[in-house]
Short mmCIF file of all heavy atoms in Angstrom, two decimals:
data_model
loop_
_atom_site.label_atom_id
_atom_site.label_comp_id
_atom_site.label_asym_id
_atom_site.label_seq_id
_atom_site.Cartn_x
_atom_site.Cartn_y
_atom_site.Cartn_z
N THR A 2 44.12 78.32 155.90
CA THR A 2 44.46 77.21 155.25
C THR A 2 43.29 76.68 154.55
O THR A 2 42.26 76.40 155.21
CB THR A 2 45.18 76.25 156.13
OG1 THR A 2 46.29 76.78 156.81
CG2 THR A 2 45.51 74.96 155.46
N PHE A 3 43.19 76.32 153.30
CA PHE A 3 42.21 75.70 152.59
C PHE A 3 42.77 74.35 152.06
O PHE A 3 43.83 74.14 151.62
CB PHE A 3 41.73 76.48 151.37
CG PHE A 3 40.81 77.65 151.68
CD1 PHE A 3 41.35 78.86 152.27
CD2 PHE A 3 39.37 77.37 151.65
CE1 PHE A 3 40.43 79.79 152.58
CE2 PHE A 3 38.59 78.35 151.98
CZ PHE A 3 39.06 79.64 152.47
N TYR A 4 41.87 73.34 152.13
CA TYR A 4 42.21 71.88 151.71
C TYR A 4 41.43 71.54 150.49
O TYR A 4 40.22 71.74 150.37
CB TYR A 4 41.92 70.92 152.90
CG TYR A 4 42.52 71.27 154.07
CD1 TYR A 4 41.90 71.99 155.16
CD2 TYR A 4 43.88 70.83 154.38
CE1 TYR A 4 42.52 72.25 156.30
CE2 TYR A 4 44.56 71.06 155.54
CZ TYR A 4 43.84 71.91 156.49
OH TYR A 4 44.50 72.09 157.60
N THR A 5 42.20 71.02 149.37
CA THR A 5 41.49 70.75 148.12
C THR A 5 40.73 69.47 148.39
O THR A 5 40.90 68.65 149.40
CB THR A 5 42.48 70.58 147.05
OG1 THR A 5 43.41 69.44 147.40
CG2 THR A 5 43.34 71.59 146.81
N TYR A 6 39.80 69.16 147.38
CA TYR A 6 38.99 67.97 147.51
C TYR A 6 39.71 66.78 147.35
O TYR A 6 39.63 65.77 148.05
CB TYR A 6 37.88 68.13 146.45
CG TYR A 6 36.89 66.88 146.38
CD1 TYR A 6 35.97 66.81 147.43
CD2 TYR A 6 36.99 65.94 145.39
CE1 TYR A 6 35.08 65.69 147.35
CE2 TYR A 6 36.17 64.85 145.35
CZ TYR A 6 35.25 64.74 146.37
OH TYR A 6 34.24 63.67 146.42
N SER A 7 40.78 66.83 146.52
CA SER A 7 41.63 65.71 146.32
C SER A 7 42.48 65.35 147.55
O SER A 7 42.64 64.18 147.93
CB SER A 7 42.55 65.81 145.19
OG SER A 7 43.44 66.89 145.39
N TYR A 8 42.85 66.35 148.36
CA TYR A 8 43.54 66.15 149.68
C TYR A 8 42.54 65.41 150.58
O TYR A 8 43.03 64.51 151.30
CB TYR A 8 44.11 67.47 150.19
CG TYR A 8 44.71 67.27 151.50
CD1 TYR A 8 45.94 66.93 151.62
CD2 TYR A 8 43.92 67.58 152.65
CE1 TYR A 8 46.57 66.93 152.96
CE2 TYR A 8 44.43 67.55 153.97
CZ TYR A 8 45.78 67.08 154.09
OH TYR A 8 46.33 66.94 155.28
N LEU A 9 41.39 65.89 150.67
CA LEU A 9 40.43 65.33 151.60
C LEU A 9 40.09 63.78 151.34
O LEU A 9 39.83 63.03 152.15
CB LEU A 9 39.21 66.12 151.70
CG LEU A 9 39.25 67.46 152.20
CD1 LEU A 9 37.96 68.23 151.99
CD2 LEU A 9 39.62 67.48 153.73
N THR A 10 40.04 63.46 149.98
CA THR A 10 39.71 62.20 149.67
C THR A 10 40.89 61.14 149.63
O THR A 10 40.66 59.97 149.74
CB THR A 10 39.06 62.11 148.24
OG1 THR A 10 39.85 62.68 147.38
CG2 THR A 10 37.71 62.94 148.23
N THR A 11 42.20 61.69 149.47
CA THR A 11 43.18 60.79 149.30
C THR A 11 44.23 60.90 150.49
O THR A 11 45.24 60.24 150.33
CB THR A 11 43.88 60.87 148.04
OG1 THR A 11 44.45 62.27 147.86
CG2 THR A 11 43.06 60.67 146.85
N HIS A 12 43.89 61.65 151.54
CA HIS A 12 44.84 61.86 152.51
C HIS A 12 45.01 60.58 153.45
O HIS A 12 43.99 60.16 154.06
CB HIS A 12 44.42 63.02 153.48
CG HIS A 12 45.36 63.35 154.54
ND1 HIS A 12 46.65 63.74 154.33
CD2 HIS A 12 45.22 63.21 155.95
CE1 HIS A 12 47.23 63.97 155.46
NE2 HIS A 12 46.45 63.68 156.52
N THR A 79 36.20 62.85 157.75
CA THR A 79 36.62 63.39 156.43
C THR A 79 35.50 62.88 155.44
O THR A 79 35.24 63.57 154.51
CB THR A 79 37.93 62.73 156.05
OG1 THR A 79 38.95 63.07 156.94
CG2 THR A 79 38.36 63.12 154.66
N ILE A 82 32.79 65.71 155.60
CA ILE A 82 33.28 66.95 155.01
C ILE A 82 33.36 66.79 153.46
O ILE A 82 33.02 67.70 152.78
CB ILE A 82 34.71 67.42 155.55
CG1 ILE A 82 34.80 68.97 155.14
CG2 ILE A 82 35.77 66.78 155.15
CD1 ILE A 82 33.91 69.95 155.95
N THR A 83 33.73 65.66 152.90
CA THR A 83 33.69 65.48 151.48
C THR A 83 32.33 65.34 150.96
O THR A 83 32.02 65.92 149.84
CB THR A 83 34.48 64.15 151.15
OG1 THR A 83 33.89 63.03 151.77
CG2 THR A 83 35.97 64.24 151.32
N VAL A 86 31.38 68.99 150.59
CA VAL A 86 32.04 69.62 149.43
C VAL A 86 31.18 69.20 148.10
O VAL A 86 30.96 69.94 147.36
CB VAL A 86 33.43 69.20 149.37
CG1 VAL A 86 34.00 69.64 148.06
CG2 VAL A 86 34.25 69.84 150.53
N GLN A 87 30.82 67.93 148.10
CA GLN A 87 30.01 67.48 146.88
C GLN A 87 28.65 68.12 146.87
O GLN A 87 28.20 68.53 145.69
CB GLN A 87 29.74 65.93 147.01
CG GLN A 87 31.05 65.13 146.90
CD GLN A 87 30.85 63.70 147.12
OE1 GLN A 87 29.87 63.24 147.60
NE2 GLN A 87 31.92 62.93 146.76
N LYS A 96 32.69 71.16 139.53
CA LYS A 96 33.26 69.87 139.88
C LYS A 96 33.66 70.04 141.30
O LYS A 96 34.36 71.03 141.75
CB LYS A 96 34.25 69.42 138.89
CG LYS A 96 33.71 69.11 137.54
CD LYS A 96 34.93 68.55 136.65
CE LYS A 96 34.35 68.40 135.28
NZ LYS A 96 35.38 67.90 134.45
N PRO A 97 33.62 68.99 142.10
CA PRO A 97 34.15 68.98 143.40
C PRO A 97 35.70 69.14 143.46
O PRO A 97 36.17 69.78 144.49
CB PRO A 97 33.80 67.71 144.10
CG PRO A 97 32.68 67.13 143.22
CD PRO A 97 32.82 67.71 141.94
N GLY A 98 36.34 68.76 142.54
CA GLY A 98 37.75 68.94 142.49
C GLY A 98 38.28 70.36 142.38
O GLY A 98 39.44 70.67 142.65
N LYS A 99 37.37 71.30 142.10
CA LYS A 99 37.77 72.68 141.83
C LYS A 99 37.49 73.48 143.12
O LYS A 99 37.70 74.68 143.27
CB LYS A 99 36.89 73.31 140.68
CG LYS A 99 37.16 72.76 139.43
CD LYS A 99 36.94 73.58 138.32
CE LYS A 99 37.20 72.93 136.96
NZ LYS A 99 38.14 73.79 136.20
N LEU A 100 37.00 72.81 144.21
CA LEU A 100 36.56 73.49 145.49
C LEU A 100 37.63 73.21 146.48
O LEU A 100 38.25 72.08 146.50
CB LEU A 100 35.26 72.94 146.02
CG LEU A 100 33.99 73.31 145.06
CD1 LEU A 100 32.83 72.76 145.82
CD2 LEU A 100 33.84 74.68 144.93
N SER A 101 37.84 74.03 147.37
CA SER A 101 38.66 73.97 148.60
C SER A 101 37.83 74.38 149.75
O SER A 101 37.06 75.24 149.63
CB SER A 101 39.88 74.78 148.44
OG SER A 101 40.65 74.49 147.20
N ILE A 102 38.18 73.82 150.95
CA ILE A 102 37.44 74.16 152.19
C ILE A 102 38.47 74.36 153.18
O ILE A 102 39.54 73.75 153.27
CB ILE A 102 36.37 73.01 152.46
CG1 ILE A 102 35.44 73.54 153.56
CG2 ILE A 102 37.06 71.78 152.91
CD1 ILE A 102 34.19 72.72 153.43
N ASN A 103 38.15 75.14 154.29
CA ASN A 103 39.11 75.55 155.27
C ASN A 103 39.11 74.77 156.38
O ASN A 103 39.74 74.98 157.50
CB ASN A 103 38.85 76.96 155.62
CG ASN A 103 37.60 77.19 156.54
OD1 ASN A 103 36.63 76.40 156.39
ND2 ASN A 103 37.54 78.18 157.44
N ALA A 104 38.50 73.56 156.35
CA ALA A 104 38.69 72.54 157.58
C ALA A 104 38.56 71.18 157.02
O ALA A 104 38.05 70.78 155.89
CB ALA A 104 37.41 72.88 158.46
N THR A 105 39.08 70.18 157.91
CA THR A 105 38.97 68.86 157.45
C THR A 105 37.86 68.00 158.18
O THR A 105 37.67 66.91 157.93
CB THR A 105 40.33 68.11 157.85
OG1 THR A 105 40.56 68.20 159.17
CG2 THR A 105 41.45 68.65 156.99
N LEU A 112 34.47 77.86 155.39
CA LEU A 112 34.56 78.69 154.24
C LEU A 112 34.90 77.80 152.98
O LEU A 112 35.74 76.84 153.10
CB LEU A 112 35.62 79.80 154.37
CG LEU A 112 35.36 80.72 155.48
CD1 LEU A 112 36.56 81.77 155.54
CD2 LEU A 112 34.01 81.51 155.26
N VAL A 113 34.30 78.01 151.79
CA VAL A 113 34.69 77.42 150.59
C VAL A 113 35.25 78.30 149.59
O VAL A 113 34.63 79.38 149.39
CB VAL A 113 33.20 76.79 150.13
CG1 VAL A 113 33.50 76.07 148.82
CG2 VAL A 113 32.70 75.75 151.09
N LYS A 114 36.26 77.85 149.05
CA LYS A 114 36.96 78.71 147.89
C LYS A 114 36.54 77.99 146.56
O LYS A 114 36.88 76.84 146.49
CB LYS A 114 38.55 78.68 148.17
CG LYS A 114 39.26 79.40 147.07
CD LYS A 114 40.75 79.34 147.36
CE LYS A 114 41.56 80.04 146.41
NZ LYS A 114 41.64 79.30 145.05
N SER A 115 35.98 78.72 145.65
CA SER A 115 35.63 78.21 144.39
C SER A 115 36.07 79.06 143.35
O SER A 115 36.36 80.20 143.70
CB SER A 115 34.12 77.92 144.31
OG SER A 115 33.48 79.13 144.09
N ILE A 143 46.02 83.11 152.04
CA ILE A 143 45.53 81.79 151.76
C ILE A 143 46.70 80.80 151.54
O ILE A 143 47.46 81.12 150.73
CB ILE A 143 44.53 81.71 150.57
CG1 ILE A 143 43.44 82.59 150.70
CG2 ILE A 143 43.95 80.34 150.33
CD1 ILE A 143 42.25 82.35 151.38
N THR A 144 46.71 79.66 152.18
CA THR A 144 47.60 78.63 151.88
C THR A 144 46.68 77.49 151.51
O THR A 144 45.85 76.92 152.09
CB THR A 144 48.22 78.20 153.33
OG1 THR A 144 48.98 79.37 153.77
CG2 THR A 144 49.26 77.06 152.99
N LEU A 145 47.05 76.93 150.29
CA LEU A 145 46.21 75.82 149.67
C LEU A 145 47.06 74.50 149.90
O LEU A 145 48.27 74.42 149.57
CB LEU A 145 46.05 76.13 148.27
CG LEU A 145 45.00 75.16 147.53
CD1 LEU A 145 43.63 75.39 148.15
CD2 LEU A 145 44.99 75.49 146.09
N VAL A 146 46.42 73.61 150.57
CA VAL A 146 46.98 72.32 150.85
C VAL A 146 46.49 71.28 149.77
O VAL A 146 45.30 71.01 149.81
CB VAL A 146 46.76 71.68 152.21
CG1 VAL A 146 47.29 70.36 152.48
CG2 VAL A 146 47.22 72.74 153.24
N LYS A 147 47.45 70.77 148.95
CA LYS A 147 47.03 69.74 147.84
C LYS A 147 47.65 68.45 148.10
O LYS A 147 48.65 68.30 148.89
CB LYS A 147 47.58 70.36 146.54
CG LYS A 147 47.03 71.72 146.12
CD LYS A 147 47.65 72.02 144.88
CE LYS A 147 47.12 73.42 144.46
NZ LYS A 147 47.74 73.85 143.24
N GLU A 148 47.06 67.46 147.53
CA GLU A 148 47.54 66.12 147.66
C GLU A 148 48.46 65.88 146.48
O GLU A 148 48.25 66.19 145.37
CB GLU A 148 46.51 65.06 147.60
CG GLU A 148 46.95 63.71 147.88
CD GLU A 148 47.59 63.38 149.27
OE1 GLU A 148 47.25 64.06 150.23
OE2 GLU A 148 48.34 62.52 149.36
#
Side-chain angles (χ1 to χ4, degrees):
T2 304
F3 280 83
Y4 303 94
T5 62
Y6 181 74
S7 63
Y8 174 82
L9 293 172
T10 56
T11 61
H12 181 65
T79 301
I82 198 74
T83 54
V86 170
Q87 290 171 352
K96 293 182 181 179
K99 297 202 180 242
L100 296 179
S101 302
I102 195 158
N103 72 332
T105 56
L112 299 177
V113 176
K114 179 182 180 287
S115 79
I143 306 271
T144 304
L145 194 61
V146 179
K147 299 179 184 179
E148 185 65 25

